[in-house]
């Protein structure tokens, strides 16, 4: 499975003052996804999030690391079976 990224303008997230959360669960048990970086969710208040120079926020939804410099925006997903 490839990766999916979601772009959101930082100014819009802050302007709306909304709470958002991404949590990874492994189907069918619905337990949190075990992973090597011990990250099970990302929320709008996650201090380590890195924004692009233009203010966009990219979240990497994939089973493999997007690279050490991007792991702060990566909630590891389960590996998909073919």
């Amino acid at each position: 499975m490839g990766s999916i990224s979601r772009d959101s303008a930082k100014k819009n997230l802050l302007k709306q003052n909304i709470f958002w959360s991404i949590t990874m669960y492994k189907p069918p048990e619905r337990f949190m996804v075990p992973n090597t970086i011990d990250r099970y969710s990302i929320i709008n208040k996650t201090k380590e999030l890195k924004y692009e120079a233009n203010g966009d926020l990219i979240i990497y939804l994939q089973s493999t690391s997007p690279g050490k410099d991007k792991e702060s925006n990566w909630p590891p997903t389960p590996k998909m079976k073919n």
Side-chain angles (χ1 to χ4, degrees):
M1 178 177 177
S3 66
I4 302 170
S5 64
R6 171 74 180 137
D7 298 340
S8 298
K10 181 179 180 181
K11 60 185 176 196
N12 289 334
L13 290 173
L14 295 176
K15 189 184 294 183
Q16 293 176 12
N17 197 24
I18 59 172
F19 171 81
W20 58 264
S21 171
I22 298 172
T23 304
M24 287 296 137
Y25 296 97
K26 183 178 179 183
E29 304 90 3
R30 297 187 184 148
F31 294 130
M32 291 188 184
V33 175
N35 61 79
T36 57
I37 64 170
D38 293 325
R39 179 175 297 124
Y40 305 98
S41 66
I42 290 181
I43 66 170
N44 60 310
K45 303 269 184 194
T46 301
K47 294 180 182 183
E48 297 83 17
L49 288 177
K50 293 181 183 174
Y51 291 86
E52 299 295 304
N54 66 359
D56 284 352
L57 175 61
I58 300 174
I59 303 294
Y60 300 93
L61 301 175
Q62 58 195 59
S63 61
T64 58
S65 171
K68 284 287 186 191
D69 61 325
K70 298 175 182 172
E71 283 187 355
S72 60
N73 295 23
W74 173 49
T77 64
K79 289 185 180 179
M80 302 302 290
K81 296 179 182 177
N82 293 332

